[in-house]
Structures are given as structure tokens and as C-alpha cells.
Amino acid sequence: MSLTIILLWFLAFSCKNEAPVVKKNKRKPNILFIAIDDLRPELGSYGSEIAQSPNLDKLASEGLQFNRAYCQQAICGPSRASVLTGLRPETSGIYHNYLKIRELHPDVVTLPQHFKNNGYESVYYGKIFHHGDLDDSLSWSRVPGPQPKSVVGFALPENQQIREETRKEMFTKYGDVAKYGLAMGPAYESADVPDNTYSDGYNTDLAVADIKKMAKDSDKPFFLGLGFHKPHLNWVAPKQYWDLYDEAKIPMTSDSIPPENGAAMGLHPSFELRVRSGIPKKGKLDPELSKTLKHAYLACISYVDAQIGRAITALEDAGIRDNTIIIVWSDHGYHLGDMGIWGKATNYEIATRVPLMIWTPDMPETKRGAQTDALVELIDIYPALCELAQIEKPEHIEGLSFVPLLKNPKQKWKTAVFSQFPSPALREWGSYPLRPAMRETYFGPLIEKVETKIKSQQKQKWNRDLFENKLMGYAMRTEQYRFIVWKDQTQLQATPLYFELYDHKNDPDETTNIAPKNPELVAQLLSQFNEEKK
């Protein structure tokens, strides 16, 4: 063998066995974290026969939609606290809107804080945490400045005047208690104004500009929270979104009465809506007003949907859509006359079930557009985003990452999910315990009427302190059933005061509590509840 051949053979062998080229680590994915206030699954992708929601429908068609996702408490503050801390309300102790996260848990690592601590630029626009927790300095790299005076609650002068006159009247008549929401102005508004006249459009402007800036100038991945106030009351939206609907064709609920044998303490007198001007302070709403209110709610959905479309387009225009996880969730559902009430704040399906969808760059192409019927909870978002970003999960979080469902949406999953709410009938909006002064307002007769129903049903079990301050309803949703256990929270080992059981196979609208006629099934579900809720 010649020297030349030996040399060529040696060079060839060396090239085959040289050390591999080390590729740089792929930049971690951005997170677009979209929170929507008071949105039940009233979207086209969820089967709504009326909602105009093309951008969310498109996102669902490209990602994964969760058909059975549930909040941990159907009110803004506790629900958002559970999502953002990873702690259930029972663990955090946050049961109403006036409890602040850092006051109870000064050292808890929140979801945006955890991403910030792991190299992310963490920013937000709109409502992510509940009011009072919004500008948490530990959670955000920076916070937005104050909104200009051009961003208004009401655009029409007549509605601004109604709000101010009502405030004066309420404070004159009731004193300081009026500051707890007795004068909120009209329930709705349709004004021919640009989208950024209201806060959701304005905040989207800021988010779009920041997406472009961070994509261009920052060497960090970002966690961007974009929180929409609508469709929370007041239902104000630009006229163009009202015009998407023919009010005469808007369908209304067929289930407008409380469940048969349902817990008398399980439904409230629609406090939150009744503080609005033009809404009857007692009695049922007339059909015409009810339809207008649902029209207003739908207009707000379409308004928010348009803003979400703009944010996603901004990702595409900046060339970063392919490395951005997009997740959309609502903090709870909403009764629109369902069971005879308006608002959230119950333990029923209509208040606890929420829209949840996610789009990820690495989701298998064959699974894009899939829907899953797996039972999931909003508390599962925190560990799921950690897993998708390949960030170690904090030890304190209590949810279960739903990432495996992106690859196999039909696999076996949780057998039950849990929500809770303290005695909705005897709480103010925001789940706050009744102040004595509230009984002296126009809510007094409503409260007395509710109390009469509870006393009639609960008989010797009635105790004012218990039912106003200590009673907790715990809801367990399984494949087939909604099971609600009413307990004295100070004596959790004691026999529950009342049970509710709804069979979703035969009664999806939860019209009849079958617990009294099915003691064996109640015992079986109570055993499951006690075991799985631990």
C-alpha cells in the first residue's frame, strides 16, 4: 500500500470519527398568556350557535381545545390567584376578592415570577392578577404606566352622567357602604368609537407595540400577559361588534329556574348585575332586557376576539409566531339567566367551566385542531407552561401538567376536578361576607328572601354565622357527575350539611338534584371526593 493511499485512508477515517458539532441551544419559547374575564365557553369552536369569534375559533383549529376545563373558584380574585400561584383556594386561603396574594403568601413564587427568574422578560398589559395584585414587583420585569384620560369606562356622555348621578345618590343614601359597588353606571353601552377608546383595545395597542419591540431589541424570550376585562360587566363595546348580531335571533337559555332540590344557599340574587343602573333591584328581568344583556355580552366577546387576533398577527409580523406558545383561558364561566340568575359565583357547571386552548410550536401536526374531553383544571396551567418551556417546576404547585394531552388528546386522564365557593346566596359580589350595612341597602329584601328559603330547606341546621361565614360548597366534577358537598369549613371531618348530585349523562343542564334519591351513589362519590381531594 502506497504512502498516499494510507494517508487518504487515515484522513477519511478521522473525518468519520471527529467530535460532532455542538449546536447552540434553541432559544426558549416566548409565552403569550391571554386571560379573559368572565368568559364562559360561548365561542364558535365550543358550539355556540350565535357567537362571532373567528380569531379564537382559528386558534382552536390550529392548536388544542380543552372541552372540559374548570376553574377552582368562580370569582375573579381567587381564580386568578390559583392560576398564578399554583395553589388551590383551600391551600392559599384566598376565597374572596379582597384578599391579596402577598399579604397571605409573601414568598410564593408566581407563574410570571418563575419565568422571570429563569431568564424571561416578564411583562403584562390589562388584567392578569386581580386588582390589587396587578403590579406585583416580584412577578414583572416592568409594569405599564397609567392609562391616558382618553381611555374611558363609558364613551357616551349620557352614560357618564348616569354613573356620576347614581354615585352621588348612593353615597347620600347609604354612606360608605356605597363604595363597595352600589353605583356602577349602566350595564352596557354601544358607542361608535375606535377599539382603543376602551381599555381592552388600548392595552392591545400597547401589547402589539411591545411584541414588535421585544422581538427586535431583546435577547431574552418573553412572557407577555395580555388580560382582557370584557366580557366582565359593564358590557361596553364599540358599535361595530354589536352590529355583528341580530338581537331578535339571539337564543336565550331554556333553563331559567333553580335546580329542583338544589341547595337554597347555592344561588345568589344576581347582586353584581343589580347594582347597575337600569336593572331591576328585585324580581325577574323582562325578556326584552334579558335579550339586550346577552347581546351586550356577545358584543364584548367579539370585541375581545378581535383584539386577540391583532396580538397573534403581531407575533406573525414580527417573525416569532413559530417560537411562541399561545395560551388562552378565562377565569370562570357565567350565568346569563341560567338557573334564573345573572353572574358567576356558583358551584355549578355554567359558572365553573371555562374555555381553555393552547397553541405550541412543537405540537404534532396530526394533532393540530384536536379537541380533548379530558378533565383539566386552570391550576394545571402553571406546571404545563413550565414543562413546555423546559423550566423546572416549583415544588409548591398543586396542578398536573396537561402537556401529554397535546400528543394524545384521548388518553386517560384525571378522574375528577374540583371547584369551591363559600355560600353564594349570602355573600356580596366578589365573594365577600355580607357587611351589616349591606342589609340596610336595597339588597335587604333580597337577602331576607334568600334566608327564608335556606331556613325552610335546612331547618334546624340553620345558623347565621355558619351559613354566612363558615359554609363552603365543594364541587367535584367527574366524567358523568357534578357532586357538591356543603360543609362547615371549621369542621371538615363532620357530616356534610347537604349534598347536590347532577347526572350529566341525562341532565347536562343540571336541572334536578338527584342526591336525595341516590344515597348509595352519594356515599360512593363522597368516598371518591374524600380520597381525591387530598
Side-chain angles (χ1 to χ4, degrees), residues 164-201:
E164 292 309 308
E165 289 178 351
T166 307
R167 282 181 59 82
K168 290 179 182 178
E169 178 188 352
M170 291 295 102
F171 275 94
T172 299
K173 191 171 185 179
Y174 298 122
D176 282 348
V177 73
K179 69 184 178 182
Y180 297 112
L182 289 187
M184 305 299 291
Y188 58 88
E189 176 178 87
S190 172
D192 193 3
V193 294
D195 285 9
N196 59 9
T197 303
Y198 304 120
S199 62
D200 284 343

Side-chain angles (χ1 to χ4, degrees), residues 201-274:
Y202 176 77
N203 287 325
T204 305
D205 287 350
L206 296 179
V208 166
D210 208 356
I211 286 170
K212 293 177 181 178
K213 185 176 186 302
M214 288 189 291
K216 180 181 178 182
D217 300 335
S218 178
D219 59 354
K220 292 182 177 181
F222 62 74
F223 180 105
L224 193 155
L226 179 54
F228 295 100
H229 292 84
K230 304 307 162 195
H232 190 291
L233 283 164
N234 299 318
W235 294 320
V236 300
K239 181 177 179 295
Q240 63 172 314
Y241 301 106
W242 286 73
D243 291 345
L244 294 173
Y245 300 94
D246 179 350
E247 190 166 297
K249 295 181 179 178
I250 293 175
M252 301 302 290
T253 179
S254 58
D255 171 26
S256 59
I257 59 174
E260 181 181 348
N261 295 321
M265 55 278 194
L267 291 170
H268 52 73
S270 307
F271 285 144
E272 186 180 17
L273 178 62
R274 293 190 192 276

Side-chain angles (χ1 to χ4, degrees), residues 475-527:
M476 180 176 75
R477 180 65 160 90
T478 69
E479 175 73 23
Q480 183 172 349
Y481 299 106
R482 173 166 294 276
F483 182 55
I484 304 175
V485 183
W486 292 95
K487 290 188 173 190
D488 180 343
Q489 202 177 14
T490 66
Q491 300 183 45
L492 292 177
Q493 303 306 315
T495 302
L497 280 78
Y498 201 72
F499 295 106
E500 292 182 82
L501 176 58
Y502 301 95
D503 182 354
H504 273 254
K505 182 177 180 180
N506 300 302
D507 181 22
D509 293 329
E510 299 180 346
T511 64
T512 304
N513 174 19
I514 64 171
K517 296 182 178 180
N518 294 271
E520 291 183 0
L521 181 55
V522 167
Q524 176 185 329
L525 289 169
L526 182 59
S527 177

